[in-house]
Amino acid sequence: MVVCVCNAIRETQVREAARAGSTTACQAYRSLGRQPKCGQCTPFARAIIDEERAAA
């Protein structure tokens, strides 16, 4: 599933970034060499990161 249309970031990429230590959407995007643009995706990215952190 695509999380961020502006940056073409997929859910799997956000999950991998969370597993690698990203705790916020901005950190996850930076780890992928991108940054949030319109911001509509950040709540969804944050939820994915929180889910990954809870599972760890």
Side-chain angles (χ1 to χ4, degrees):
M1 170 184 285
V2 174
V3 173
C4 177
V5 174
C6 298
N7 287 302
I9 297 174
R10 297 183 120 353
E11 180 180 350
T12 55
Q13 292 172 291
V14 175
R15 290 188 185 280
E16 289 170 8
R19 289 183 206 126
S22 296
T23 59
T24 66
C26 288
Q27 286 177 351
Y29 288 19
R30 271 186 294 226
S31 75
L32 297 167
R34 301 180 184 118
Q35 63 183 7
K37 293 184 181 184
C38 73
Q40 290 185 355
C41 57
T42 53
F44 185 44
R46 190 176 309 125
I48 293 168
I49 292 166
D50 290 346
E51 188 179 298
E52 283 298 318
R53 293 183 72 208

